């Protein structure tokens, strides 16, 4: 995990939540070494070949997983089956700190994004 992301993670007040989030991001980076971690909009974001792949935003009671709309739509049923709550945008969903992190789902989303955006020429989809 790079220093920029570490600085965001350090701001998570609860020590257990901070450790959980660190383990999650470390596992994600190990699974997808081609991802480049960055901080934009005060949240950890992961990019590949200059385009956004997925982002995360820690909060007091949960953290948000922020894919782009096509990934959220593709995996909507699985997200709902896991009991995860969408925000009002329908593109971002929350994982409460007490819930199990849906790592298998996140891996599918990242793999989808990497393949779907292989030829992307912009950071976000238009």
């Amino acid at each position: 995990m790079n220093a920029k992301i570490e600085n965001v993670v350090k701001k998570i007040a609860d020590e257990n939540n901070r450790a959980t989030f660190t383990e999650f991001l470390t596992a994600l980076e190990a699974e997808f070494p081609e991802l480049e971690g960055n901080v934009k909009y005060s949240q950890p974001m992961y990019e590949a070949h200059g385009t956004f792949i997925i982002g995360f935003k820690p909060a007091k009671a949960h953290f948000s997983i922020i894919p782009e709309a096509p990934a959220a739509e593709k995996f909507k049923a699985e997200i709902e089956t896991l009991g995860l709550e969408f925000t009002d945008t329908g593109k971002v969903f929350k994982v409460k700190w007490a819930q199990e992190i849906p790592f298998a789902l996140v891996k599918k989303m990242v793999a989808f994004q990497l393949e779907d955006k292989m030829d992307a020429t912009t950071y976000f989809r238009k």
Side-chain angles (χ1 to χ4, degrees):
M1 192 174 348
N2 69 38
K4 289 180 185 179
I5 292 177
E6 283 180 3
N7 285 336
V8 172
V9 172
K10 285 178 187 176
K11 295 176 184 175
I12 299 172
D14 183 277
E15 186 177 322
N16 292 327
N17 296 347
R18 188 171 51 250
T20 297
F21 197 62
T22 298
E23 288 173 22
F24 168 66
L25 294 181
T26 300
L28 182 71
E29 291 174 5
E31 185 76 25
F32 297 98
E34 67 270 38
L35 293 180
E36 299 171 30
N38 206 339
V39 173
K40 294 187 180 191
Y41 310 104
S42 301
Q43 59 198 20
M45 292 190 168
Y46 287 89
E47 310 161 353
H49 51 80
T51 190
F52 173 81
I53 301 299
I54 197 161
F56 306 97
K57 183 159 181 70
K60 185 175 183 178
H62 68 275
F63 73 93
S64 296
I65 297 177
I66 309 159
E68 285 185 293
E73 290 165 15
K74 179 172 178 62
F75 297 100
K76 182 177 182 176
E78 190 170 345
I79 293 165
E80 291 173 343
T81 298
L82 291 169
L84 303 172
E85 176 187 339
F86 274 101
T87 64
D88 57 354
T89 67
K91 300 174 193 166
V92 176
F93 59 98
K94 300 176 184 179
V95 178
K96 294 180 181 163
W97 291 114
Q99 289 178 294
E100 182 178 339
I101 296 175
F103 191 64
L105 172 62
V106 172
K107 288 189 330 185
K108 288 184 213 175
M109 291 181 135
V110 170
F112 169 77
Q113 285 282 90
L114 287 168
E115 183 176 328
D116 197 52
K117 295 186 77 179
M118 183 149 318
D119 298 322
T121 58
T122 59
Y123 190 71
F124 292 115
R125 286 182 173 90
K126 293 188 178 210

